[in-house]
Amino acid sequence: QVSLVESGGGLVQPGGSLRLSCSASGRFFSISTMGWYRQVPGKERELVASITNGDKLTYIDSVKGRFTISRDNAKNTVYLQMNILKPDDTADYYCYAAILSRYLGPVYRYWGQGTQVTVSS
């Protein structure tokens, strides 16, 4: 059984910062790509940032220069440092991890439970 646990959401004023964390636990062989999606009620979930196990980074245009994704492979953890936050960043943030359960086995995507980020004065 694999689980992803998120932390770090909350309420912050515009221009402020938050750091999200997401840790994977359980029995598995390795983790490939990790990343973060966000969703606003009534809108589709959008990919915010991702990082491969080779540290290739991807960001949506609206967060470039403000958000930084990183990972600690020893801790099976992915982070999202969010700076210069804007009201448009308000959403539920979900982490994911593409995980191999065994050597040369299939890759499954697992999801965190979601954490709310609210940017408001």
Side-chain angles (χ1 to χ4, degrees):
Q1 185 79 11
V2 176
S3 65
L4 270 62
V5 178
E6 302 179 30
S7 62
L11 172 65
V12 64
Q13 291 187 344
S17 298
L18 283 175
R19 188 192 196 207
L20 306 182
S21 300
C22 173
S23 296
S25 62
R27 296 188 63 181
F28 52 85
F29 178 73
S30 67
I31 302 176
S32 178
T33 302
M34 305 182 81
W36 296 88
Y37 278 76
R38 66 186 180 188
Q39 187 168 26
V40 176
K43 294 186 177 181
E44 290 190 1
R45 189 177 292 192
E46 64 177 359
L47 177 63
V48 178
S50 65
I51 180 169
T52 69
N53 54 5
D55 291 333
K56 179 181 177 181
L57 309 179
T58 303
Y59 298 97
I60 57 170
D61 287 344
S62 61
V63 308
K64 288 180 179 178
R66 300 188 297 120
F67 290 12
T68 302
I69 189 170
S70 61
R71 63 192 283 174
D72 184 334
N73 293 325
K75 296 181 179 180
N76 296 321
T77 299
V78 62
Y79 306 96
L80 186 66
Q81 177 67 44
M82 305 185 293
N83 299 327
I84 317 175
L85 282 160
K86 304 176 181 180
D88 284 349
D89 296 318
T90 297
D92 293 322
Y93 284 71
Y94 298 88
C95 70
Y96 78 91
I99 292 178
L100 277 75
S101 59
R102 55 183 170 81
Y103 180 63
L104 297 181
V107 176
Y108 296 105
R109 180 173 286 199
Y110 293 86
W111 293 91
Q113 79 279 13
T115 186
Q116 188 173 53
V117 171
T118 303
V119 184
S120 175
S121 55

